[in-house]
Amino acid sequence: METLGGTRLAQLFKERQSELLGEWVTQQYAIASRRGGVAEVQLRNQFAQFVELVCAALESSDRVAFKTPTWDEVRSFLAEVSSARARQGFTPVETAMFVFSLKEPLFARLRGELVANPALLAELSWTISTLFDAMGLYTTEVFQTSREQVIVRQQQELLELSTPVVQLWDGILALPLIGTLDSARTQVVMESLLQKIVETGAAIAIIDITGVPTVDTLVAQHLLKTVAAARLMGADCIISGIRPQIAQTIVHLGVNLQNVITKATIADAFIVALNRTGKSVAGAIMPAEAPGAPGSLRGNQFAGD
């Protein structure tokens, strides 16, 4: 929306900048201090830069239209401030107040100067209201976009952290899954597992689903895709964590896992993996009455065949 009075408002900004700064910083510092990370000197610098850019845009034409190229630098500055505040934990309202905090001081100065000219007062008040509303809404739009980008990035990082691939033994990997297994997470799981297979040359990968709350057709399909991808890389998969409820569900769904080794626990799966890679577990507990007896094994020892 286009309004009039740009040059008059630019003059008002310049003549009353010190007074406006004082009131604006007071409100902004009260907000920023709750969030931390924004010092008063930084607020003063932001205000000075904001006023300079706004004045330049107002002086270019008496007609005020925020969406025109004249206001490109103002929009760029507001976008930078909004994105920074989104990362610092400000709310959308607190971010919009960067702009709205100036409306009341401006109205007060206008009323004092134009009390004898109500027509001009009404016109400039409308211009201020329209302009600052547009700028405030713009900061909110940028804030929401920036916040969504932060959330998406955090979700991606959580996905990567929640799918660690651990090397249990030479040639044996373990991938413990916790939580729901959807398409997006399956992609991360598959990429992580395949990359680790390439790095280690592992022949066996144990996919443990003890922490997966439910298994439906979609989850089973995701598991089979991961198994198939690992086989293409030369590694066989063992699925562990098959609880009675999950076994019943898989049978009920008719999911074919005949070509996949499944075990109830990751310990059982690990023993199978050791055997398939030519390793064995030997153990004998030393009798209590004969401590230090020769030829006995203390605890468990891994031995290659």
Side-chain angles (χ1 to χ4, degrees), residues 162-234:
S162 63
T163 54
V165 182
V166 182
Q167 185 169 4
L168 291 181
W169 202 256
D170 185 25
I172 302 174
L173 300 177
L175 176 61
L177 298 177
I178 300 174
T180 304
L181 191 64
D182 56 17
S183 299
R185 191 174 181 204
T186 299
Q187 186 64 31
V188 176
V189 167
M190 196 178 298
E191 290 176 359
S192 300
L193 179 59
L194 297 183
Q195 183 62 36
K196 199 69 174 180
I197 290 173
V198 171
E199 292 175 1
T200 63
I204 302 291
I206 301 172
I207 302 176
D208 183 67
I209 62 171
T210 303
V212 177
T214 58
V215 173
D216 55 17
T217 304
L218 189 60
V219 171
Q221 290 175 351
H222 290 326
L223 288 173
L224 290 176
K225 287 180 181 178
T226 303
V227 171
R231 282 177 176 169
L232 289 174
M233 298 298 296

Side-chain angles (χ1 to χ4, degrees), residues 33 61 179 181 239 299 304:
S33 60
S61 173
L181 191 64
I239 299 179

Side-chain angles (χ1 to χ4, degrees), residues 16-31 40 43-44 47 97-111:
R16 303 287 186 168
Q17 183 169 343
S18 297
E19 299 173 24
L20 295 172
L21 171 63
E23 295 186 34
W24 182 86
V25 166
T26 299
Q27 294 188 53
Q28 284 297 303
Y29 189 70
I31 295 172
E40 183 176 345
L43 289 174
R44 290 180 177 274
F47 177 86
M97 285 302 293
F98 181 90
V99 173
F100 292 146
S101 295
L102 263 175
K103 287 180 71 173
E104 186 176 347
L106 280 172
F107 285 146
R109 275 33 177 212
L110 276 180
R111 285 193 297 269

Side-chain angles (χ1 to χ4, degrees), residues 256-268:
N256 185 8
L257 294 178
Q258 292 181 356
N259 296 325
V260 182
I261 299 175
T262 59
K263 290 295 178 181
T265 67
I266 192 171
D268 294 336

Side-chain angles (χ1 to χ4, degrees), residues 242-252:
I242 303 294
R243 306 183 294 278
Q245 301 90 331
I246 290 180
Q248 293 175 17
T249 301
I250 290 175
V251 172
H252 178 72

Side-chain angles (χ1 to χ4, degrees), residues 72-91:
D72 283 349
E73 291 190 26
V74 177
R75 288 195 297 271
S76 178
F77 173 77
L78 291 176
E80 182 180 340
V81 171
S82 299
S83 298
R85 294 198 168 199
R87 294 190 298 268
Q88 291 168 343
F90 285 76
T91 67

Side-chain angles (χ1 to χ4, degrees), residues 233-300:
M233 298 298 296
D236 286 330
C237 289
I238 303 172
I239 299 179
S240 65
I242 303 294
R243 306 183 294 278
Q245 301 90 331
I246 290 180
Q248 293 175 17
T249 301
I250 290 175
V251 172
H252 178 72
L253 294 173
V255 177
N256 185 8
L257 294 178
Q258 292 181 356
N259 296 325
V260 182
I261 299 175
T262 59
K263 290 295 178 181
T265 67
I266 192 171
D268 294 336
F270 185 43
I271 292 174
V272 173
L274 286 172
N275 291 333
R276 296 193 64 174
T277 54
K279 305 291 190 304
S280 62
V281 180
I285 300 177
M286 188 180 301
E289 64 272 17
S296 63
L297 294 174
R298 293 183 178 274
N300 292 331

Side-chain angles (χ1 to χ4, degrees), residues 122-138:
E123 180 179 319
L124 292 181
S125 295
W126 174 247
T127 298
I128 290 175
S129 183
T130 303
L131 173 62
F132 278 74
D133 286 350
M135 289 193 292
L137 289 174
Y138 181 74

